[in-house]
Amino acid sequence: MEFVLYEVKGQVGIITISREKALNALNSAVLDELDKTLDAVDLDTVRCLILTGAGQKSFVAGADIGEMSTLTKAEGEAFGKKGNDVFRKLEVFPIPVIAAVNGFALGGGCEISMSCDIRICSDNAVFGQPEVGLGITPGFGGTQRLARLVGPGIAKQMIYTARNIKADEALRIGLVNAVYPQEELMAAAEKMAAGIAKNAPIAVRNCKKAINDGLEAGMDDAIVIEEKLFGDCFETEDQKYGMAFFLDKNKEKVKEPFQNK
Ligand code: CAA
């Protein structure tokens, strides 16, 4: 891979978009490599992913403006689909994905972070959807996910004005869960990922699916989605062990790692 690095630390996979000379902007090659990287994640061992950008300055500075500058209408639509397909794969990826936003998250950068389950950022992070200043709409999910995450009023203001916001404002509007000094961001992401990875993997996956699928349904259907995924956890080894451990009165025993079965 030229632009995407993948490293596994214990049960946590770290994907780094690495095209530093263009502030990690997403061209077709980066999108293809991201797609392949996701396909290659070993879901038997990896229980949580972290997505970040290379360097100290930028997470992802958007889709590649040079590549987009000469597209026809049909090519523009196809480029949007290419980004949307990869971002959707990330959004519905079976295990949780944490975006560790280490700088600029503009346009496609803000959009890819919103395809992740959880966003945390460094204190130098900048978020925004600058597309209308370039003569286009957000095209990798920004018109849809920003409104769902922060509400339509704030999303419309950000998108129509194309004004960037800093980390503290991103925290205030609920776009990120926490802000860290730059040098502490990856350690915080890894700690959170390890905290997720130690829990029963089938249960964690089912939680992700229940939340994602339920958000797309009305409440009557959503609670049925939950019931099925709740029921699905029973009779697993991890459910039997987790509950037996709780009920065991011999508290000197050390809890064993969950088996993912
Ligand atoms: N596409 C292509 N190249 C980009 C880029 C992008 N989105 N963002 C930065 N770069 C390149 C610059 O062209 C520059 O390359 P050269 O050194 O070859 O000139 C290099 O990265 C460094 O960038 P700057 O010199 O501009 O760095 P800066 O510190 O002065 O500014 C910045 C940083 C504010 C992030 C600025 O680079 C910028 O505004 N970038 C564009 C941000 C943007 O508009 N993103 C949205 C793109 S549209 C989109 O994403 C559509 C969609 O929804 C799918």
Side-chain angles (χ1 to χ4, degrees), residues 21-23 25 57 61-66 68 104 106-108 111 130-131 134 136-140:
K21 67 176 174 54
L23 302 184
K57 184 172 172 182
D64 191 292
I65 299 170
M68 287 187 295
F104 290 113
L106 301 175
E111 290 168 308
E131 286 88 349
L134 296 163
I136 57 173
T137 65
F140 290 168

Side-chain angles (χ1 to χ4, degrees), residues 19-27 31 57-58 60-68 79-80 83-84 87 104-111 126 128-134 136-143 164:
R19 194 182 167 222
E20 256 189 278
K21 67 176 174 54
L23 302 184
N24 306 323
L26 303 170
N27 61 14
L31 293 171
K57 184 172 172 182
S58 182
V60 169
D64 191 292
I65 299 170
E67 182 173 338
M68 287 187 295
F79 189 60
N84 272 335
F87 288 18
F104 290 113
L106 301 175
C110 186
E111 290 168 308
V126 176
Q129 297 290 162
E131 286 88 349
V132 293
L134 296 163
I136 57 173
T137 65
F140 290 168
T143 59
N164 293 340

Side-chain angles (χ1 to χ4, degrees), residues 44-217:
D44 290 332
T45 53
V46 175
R47 296 184 181 179
C48 186
L49 288 179
I50 297 171
L51 178 72
T52 194
Q56 304 289 302
K57 184 172 172 182
S58 182
F59 171 67
V60 169
D64 191 292
I65 299 170
E67 182 173 338
M68 287 187 295
S69 61
T70 56
L71 299 183
T72 62
K73 282 182 193 292
E75 288 166 343
E77 190 176 333
F79 189 60
K81 177 165 169 39
K82 190 178 184 71
N84 272 335
D85 286 351
V86 183
F87 288 18
R88 184 70 176 147
K89 186 178 277 191
L90 195 57
E91 186 169 46
V92 301
F93 206 65
I95 56 175
V97 186
I98 299 168
V101 177
N102 57 311
F104 290 113
L106 301 175
C110 186
E111 290 168 308
I112 198 170
S113 80
M114 293 190 291
S115 304
C116 299
D117 295 274
I118 294 165
R119 283 150 297 289
I120 59 175
C121 74
S122 54
D123 46 11
N124 67 329
V126 176
F127 293 82
Q129 297 290 162
E131 286 88 349
V132 293
L134 296 163
I136 57 173
T137 65
F140 290 168
T143 59
Q144 304 309 310
R145 292 194 181 93
L146 188 59
R148 284 167 168 77
L149 269 172
V150 303
I154 300 275
K156 286 176 174 176
Q157 183 179 336
M158 279 181 68
I159 289 172
Y160 300 166
T161 64
R163 187 179 67 84
N164 293 340
I165 60 169
K166 293 185 178 160
D168 56 347
E169 195 173 347
L171 181 65
R172 185 177 62 75
I173 65 173
L175 185 54
V176 299
N177 290 10
V179 182
Y180 297 91
Q182 167 87 257
E183 62 278 10
E184 293 172 21
L185 177 67
M186 280 312 286
E190 286 177 35
K191 187 173 172 199
M192 187 188 289
I196 292 170
K198 77 171 176 26
N199 290 320
I202 295 167
V204 171
R205 288 180 187 213
N206 284 10
C207 288
K208 173 167 178 169
K209 191 163 169 47
I211 294 168
N212 279 1
D213 292 358
L215 282 172
E216 288 172 15

